[in-house]
Amino acid sequence: MMILYCVDFWLECPQWARISFVRVKYLFLTWLTVLVGSWVLYVQYSAYTELCRGHECKNAICDKYRRGIIDGSACSGLCDKQTLYMGRCLSTLPNNQSKLGEQANLASLVNQILSVADGNKDGRVSLPEARSMWALLQMDEVLLGLLLQDRGHTPRLLGYCGDLYMTERVPYGPLYGLSLPWPLVSWVPNGVQRTMDQWFTPSWPRKAKISMGLLELVEDIFHGTYGSFLICDVAAAHFGYTDRYELRLTNTRAVVPEEEFRRSMRALKCETDADCVYGVDCQTSCDVSGRRCREEPLQPNLAKACSTLKDYLLRGAPSALREELERQLYACMALKGNAGQMNMEHSLILNNLKALLWKQISHTKDS
């Protein structure tokens, strides 16, 4: 009897059913609006408070500047002329110092640091400027940024004041794909994400130019002027590109001096190879008899870079080029062991890839 009553009730009240549906619809839209609004507020709040507390950071820096404790090329604009303002300030860990390898050209490095430290360009480094530069050098991303920016791989250092520094803005990032807000990541299907990535990705010649930048970064940090480095996290989020489609390494913490990597591996105990991992993408093998990690990396930077570029470059590649490009990328991904032990093969694959890409973009206006 109750079942018949319910059926009759719904049949006789279609308008009530429509009203309920409208209520549910508006309730869902309201919930979605609150969710997105809360996320926007959270991002704005965290950028302002958790990362640096902008006004407090500026007040502390300017107080030290006016007392003559620190100085730098950005101090006047930040504290006196008010021509600089902090839209976003990223905190750092001051106890992460970089250790350069034995091949480092220390004389050249010192000259470069002194040139940057002379903020007012008067030919000498004052005590306040020296204090500021020393504070900056305690941050690994600043030192590595200085080492790599001569070749244009990192955002240019525009100025500093104390341990606060400014770099050029990298307008596009990550390297590929669309960075979705974290509440939407689990809601958007993978197929839809891939389609959206295609909409927001540059044209193929421009992707080729960006990829050339990554290959040149790999080339320059392989036994470079300041020693050898390993890229231990090749995630797209750590790279961006400029309006001229020039690659920039936006998170230098992904790059580790090889000497530091070897030292860390030697001190690491292990049971299996899975225990011998540094960062995300750097791994060695386990010496089971001694229960210690070996110090030789299993995969060179180039193989990791090619793995990152494979889908990025093959998607939308010209049909006449696709087969050869795919062959070279897979040969590159197959590289094993320390690049120092296979200079010839490493250099051959790198040069072949660069030549193949350059042939495609040398005639374009973005080259």
Side-chain angles (χ1 to χ4, degrees), residues 128-172:
E129 287 174 335
R131 287 196 187 105
S132 294
M133 182 52 60
W134 178 251
L136 288 176
L137 293 178
Q138 306 310 301
M139 298 182 283
D140 59 345
E141 67 268 24
V142 175
L143 181 54
L144 285 172
L146 287 173
L147 299 183
L148 297 174
Q149 73 175 226
D150 276 352
R151 298 283 293 167
H153 298 309
T154 57
R156 288 181 296 111
L157 180 66
L158 300 179
Y160 71 94
C161 184
D163 58 358
L164 180 147
Y165 66 97
M166 294 166 293
T167 64
E168 70 171 326
R169 180 174 175 267
V170 180
Y172 302 106

Side-chain angles (χ1 to χ4, degrees), residues 92-109:
T92 57
L93 298 175
N95 58 345
N96 287 339
Q97 296 188 35
S98 296
K99 303 174 184 65
L100 302 180
E102 295 177 357
Q103 302 176 33
N105 187 337
L106 295 181
S108 174
L109 176 60

Side-chain angles (χ1 to χ4, degrees), residues 37-52:
S38 300
W39 177 81
V40 172
L41 290 174
Y42 168 77
V43 170
Q44 294 298 322
Y45 177 80
S46 63
Y48 177 71
T49 61
E50 292 181 13
L51 293 178
C52 181

Side-chain angles (χ1 to χ4, degrees), residues 14 33 41 47 53 76 80 103 110 147 166 201 217 231 246 258 346 355:
T33 302
L41 290 174
R53 301 184 186 275
S76 177
D80 293 337
Q103 302 176 33
V110 168
L147 299 183
M166 294 166 293
T201 195
L217 168 64
I231 306 177
E246 297 164 336
E258 187 173 355
H346 182 278

Side-chain angles (χ1 to χ4, degrees), residues 57-82 120 126 128-129 131-132 160-164:
C57 180
K58 177 183 175 181
N59 290 343
I61 289 287
C62 291
D63 178 63
K64 292 180 181 178
Y65 165 64
R66 294 188 179 106
R67 287 158 50 196
I69 298 174
I70 61 173
D71 199 359
S73 55
C75 290
S76 177
L78 182 69
C79 304
D80 293 337
K81 300 178 182 178
Q82 305 295 324
N120 57 9
S126 66
E129 287 174 335
R131 287 196 187 105
S132 294
Y160 71 94
C161 184
D163 58 358
L164 180 147

